[in-house]
Amino acid sequence: MVHLGPKKPPARKGSMADVPSKLLNEVKEFEEMFSVSAEKLQEVTKHFITELNQGLSPEGGNIPMIPGWVVECPTGKEKGDFLAIDLGGTNLRVVLVKLGGDRTFDTTQSKYKIPDAMRTTKNPDELFVFIAESLKSFVEEQFPHGVSEPIPLGFTFSFPASQDRINQGILQTWTKGFDIPNIEGHDVVPMLVKEITKRNLPIQVVALINDTTGTLVASSYTDGDTKMGVIFGTGVNGAYYEEVANIPKLKGKLADDIPATAPMAINCEYGSFDNEHKILPRTKYDIAIDEASPRPGQQTFEKMSSGYYLGEILRLAILDVYEKGCILCDQDMTKLNTPYIMDTSFPSRIENDPFENLEDTDEILQNELGINTTVPERKLIRRLCELIGLRAARLSVTGIAAVFEKRGYKSGSVACDGSVFNRYPGFQEHAAQALRDIFGWEHGPASSYPIVLTAAEDGSGAGAAVIAALSKKRLEAGKSVGIITP
Ligand SMILES: Nc1ncnc2c1ncn2[C@@H]1O[C@H](COP(=O)(O)OP(=O)(O)OP(=O)(O)O)[C@@H](O)[C@H]1O
């Protein structure tokens, strides 16, 4: 067979032979601090199941377990043109989705970077003006001659929002570094509709969707074996279908057209798992990140495993060794002293460095952080990146294991989205191995395991479209899309 394309650089052996013992001791300490055993993963999974159940109870618990008001599994036959917008932690995506009605779909999308300052703006309108303006330019571009009737839109809102019906979303709490006043506790749908109406856009908002639920539904549309949708991006989260009979907090609140046997998509929002700090093995860096965050005590699981925090964990760990006088002596630490200066692309790119002398890492550290490093220093930093990524992958699948155990699923696919899953080197293998550790499967290739993690790129756009299609049909048939209102 002939392989085309650039020749692969020689594999890196990753020898630590030239690393002085002082640094090796630091490496050893990090290895102990960041490693999570199979037994620990099993304990975490067990506690996770308890918290998932608490979240479904009327009393509630750490994990919100938000009903998504998608009360049907897609058949794959849904059809038509839909708009989807996806407000993630980092980008706004606007997507035109053409559902083929045969388990296929086509998408055309534009991506708009959310300006950093907008995450913490004091003016709540600013975010919705930004979304409406982005929609306006997208629709003008895609439909230069206008449209005959309003296009149904599914709004993917990737923050914990409670819903009493599908076309509503009350923001419970900002996550992923967002903190805009006067939105928490309010329904974000009218805020978006107001800006759409002001601009006379031919768009009808029919559903508000969480990105994780969207991933679940998109993959259920294309693959009937999908059991969960999971996000490993700026945040971490999972969604699955629960049987209505198993959701005690909805008892007595549903119309007869949502029977006890119906499936209900649940957006777990499990980034808040273990907010009581009972089980997760937190390091001093995790504690420091939590204490310095705008919301101490919240999103404990997310703070140890999501893209928003992995670079920051790395920064704090490097600074710690620096402060002990072990590395980077006489270097200008101005940049490294800046919180959140490194996003997860830093550890990700450093782990990708194929060279024995970590030449690429040298360039990254020099060009982006203004520090010169020796080879042993880079080896320590590289090992730290591996440990941080490995721990994130191992911990983050406990949510998947808990859902499978709880539902009694022995096998199935998990549709995964997010840059950490798609781009962090080794993440997918580490995640699969952690599942194997939890369930005690035989060693083998990840594709042979009973639970298969599959990439669900663009899932939230298609999912929003499928959910918009299901909701539009229910609304037109006069069926309920939420709790019974007195
Ligand atoms: N090369 C990379 N490897 C791994 N992670 C990366 C890389 N580049 C960026 N990231 C991280 O990915 C995160 C963004 O993830 P993603 O692109 O999935 O965005 P998102 O849709 O806004 O996230 P979410 O769905 O959680 O809201 C950022 O936190 C960033 O640190």
Side-chain angles (χ1 to χ4, degrees):
M1 201 197 305
V2 179
H3 293 279
L4 297 176
K7 207 173 145 195
K8 265 177 81 177
R12 185 180 170 270
K13 291 198 184 70
S15 156
M16 286 280 188
D18 55 348
V19 178
S21 61
K22 196 172 167 193
L23 290 195
L24 278 180
N25 286 340
E26 296 299 321
V27 168
K28 199 159 164 271
E29 211 176 292
F30 283 134
E31 283 170 346
E32 276 162 22
M33 200 188 286
F34 284 105
S35 67
V36 191
S37 68
E39 293 71 36
K40 184 69 187 177
L41 288 178
Q42 286 159 358
E43 276 171 41
V44 173
T45 303
K46 202 167 153 214
H47 190 62
F48 221 126
I49 298 172
T50 310
E51 287 205 7
L52 294 176
N53 285 329
Q54 277 168 356
L56 293 172
S57 72
E59 299 75 34
N62 283 332
I63 305 182
M65 302 297 277
I66 303 166
W69 300 110
V70 185
V71 290
E72 282 148 52
C73 295
T75 59
K77 296 199 172 108
E78 294 75 15
K79 203 171 164 139
D81 280 7
F82 298 87
L83 274 174
I85 53 171
D86 178 355
L87 183 71
T90 312
N91 298 300
L92 171 74
R93 295 185 189 94
V94 181
V95 195
L96 172 65
V97 187
K98 291 178 183 291
L99 296 178
D102 54 357
R103 293 205 179 271
T104 68
F105 64 87
D106 257 343
T107 60
T108 313
Q109 63 171 307
S110 287
K111 192 161 156 176
Y112 306 84
K113 168 124 182 49
I114 301 168
D116 282 341
M118 203 175 277
R119 287 169 178 273
T120 49
T121 171
K122 294 282 165 278
N123 174 6
D125 287 344
E126 209 178 300
L127 183 64
F128 297 96
V129 168
F130 171 73
I131 300 173
E133 283 297 325
S134 306
L135 265 174
K136 184 168 184 282
S137 56
F138 184 81
V139 169
E140 282 170 359
E141 204 180 285
Q142 293 299 318
F143 301 98
H145 308 297
V147 291
S148 53
E149 54 181 81
I151 319 168
L153 177 142
F155 177 13
T156 302
F157 186 65
S158 313
F159 299 91
S162 61
Q163 293 181 289
D164 279 343
R165 54 176 200 278
I166 188 79
N167 45 6
Q168 177 198 51
I170 298 163
L171 175 66
Q172 293 194 334
T173 175
W174 282 120
T175 54
K176 302 181 240 188
F178 272 64
D179 198 11
I180 307 176
N182 299 326
I183 301 186
E184 283 172 328
H186 297 278
D187 184 0
V188 295
V189 172
M191 300 186 198
L192 175 64
V193 170
K194 185 178 105 185
E195 298 302 331
I196 287 177
T197 312
K198 257 192 203 168
R199 288 161 183 78
N200 242 334
L201 303 177
I203 293 171
Q204 184 199 3
V205 183
V206 292
L208 182 129
I209 300 126
N210 168 269
D211 59 341
T212 320
T213 308
T215 302
L216 167 73
V217 176
S219 299
S220 305
Y221 172 82
T222 57
D223 168 10
D225 198 29
T226 305
K227 301 287 193 294
M228 279 187 86
V230 172
I231 305 291
F232 306 89
T234 309
V236 292
N237 193 15
Y240 73 105
Y241 276 108
E242 186 56 86
E243 215 178 277
V244 162
N246 297 335
I247 312 175
K249 65 183 177 186
L250 289 182
K251 202 161 178 238
K253 294 184 177 172
L254 302 177
D256 291 345
D257 57 27
I258 307 179
T261 51
M264 169 73 80
I266 299 285
N267 162 28
C268 302
E269 289 298 346
Y270 58 45
S272 60
F273 168 59
D274 198 31
N275 277 352
E276 286 155 336
H277 305 149
K278 282 190 177 162
I279 193 90
L280 288 171
R282 297 201 307 158
T283 64
K284 54 185 166 179
Y285 312 120
D286 301 310
I287 293 168
I289 284 180
D290 184 41
E291 286 173 354
S293 72
R295 310 281 167 117
Q298 291 186 27
Q299 298 299 106
T300 302
F301 187 55
E302 181 165 283
K303 282 172 177 156
M304 297 175 77
S305 54
S306 84
Y308 192 68
Y309 299 99
L310 300 188
E312 182 64 0
I313 298 174
L314 173 64
R315 187 186 75 87
L316 291 179
I318 296 175
L319 275 184
D320 196 14
V321 203
Y322 164 76
E323 274 153 20
K324 287 185 194 166
C326 297
I327 56 169
L328 310 179
C329 304
D330 307 324
Q331 291 298 311
D332 175 4
M333 298 299 280
T334 317
K335 286 197 172 158
L336 253 184
N337 274 321
T338 314
Y340 291 91
I341 193 157
M342 294 194 275
D343 70 0
T344 298
S345 78
F346 274 77
S348 178
R349 285 179 292 151
I350 292 174
E351 269 207 56
N352 249 336
D353 187 342
F355 301 109
E356 194 58 30
N357 64 349
L358 297 170
E359 183 66 19
D360 288 354
T361 304
D362 190 25
E363 244 180 74
I364 295 169
L365 298 174
Q366 257 186 48
N367 296 346
E368 297 173 52
L369 298 174
I371 50 174
N372 291 313
T373 46
T374 62
V375 174
E377 286 173 345
R378 291 201 288 281
K379 287 191 172 172
L380 175 137
I381 292 173
R382 154 73 170 237
R383 183 73 187 123
L384 245 179
C385 295
E386 288 169 0
L387 293 168
I388 291 167
L390 176 65
R391 185 189 72 157
R394 287 176 71 75
L395 285 179
S396 59
V397 298
T398 54
I400 297 174
V403 166
F404 270 69
E405 284 247 317
K406 176 179 154 41
R407 293 292 286 136
Y409 295 142
K410 298 285 175 239
S411 64
S413 38
V414 177
C416 305
D417 206 351
S419 289
V420 175
F421 182 82
N422 289 314
R423 299 168 68 188
Y424 203 104
F427 191 91
Q428 301 185 18
E429 293 77 29
H430 294 324
Q433 279 161 25
L435 282 172
R436 188 198 64 208
D437 279 359
I438 295 171
F439 290 108
W441 301 324
E442 297 278 302
H443 283 248
S447 57
S448 70
Y449 295 156
I451 302 174
V452 181
L453 307 177
T454 56
E457 199 68 73
D458 297 335
S460 48
V466 176
I467 294 172
L470 295 173
S471 312
K472 190 167 174 260
K473 204 166 134 205
R474 279 188 80 83
L475 288 166
E476 282 172 358
K479 289 190 180 169
S480 61
V481 290
I483 60 169
I484 310 167
T485 37

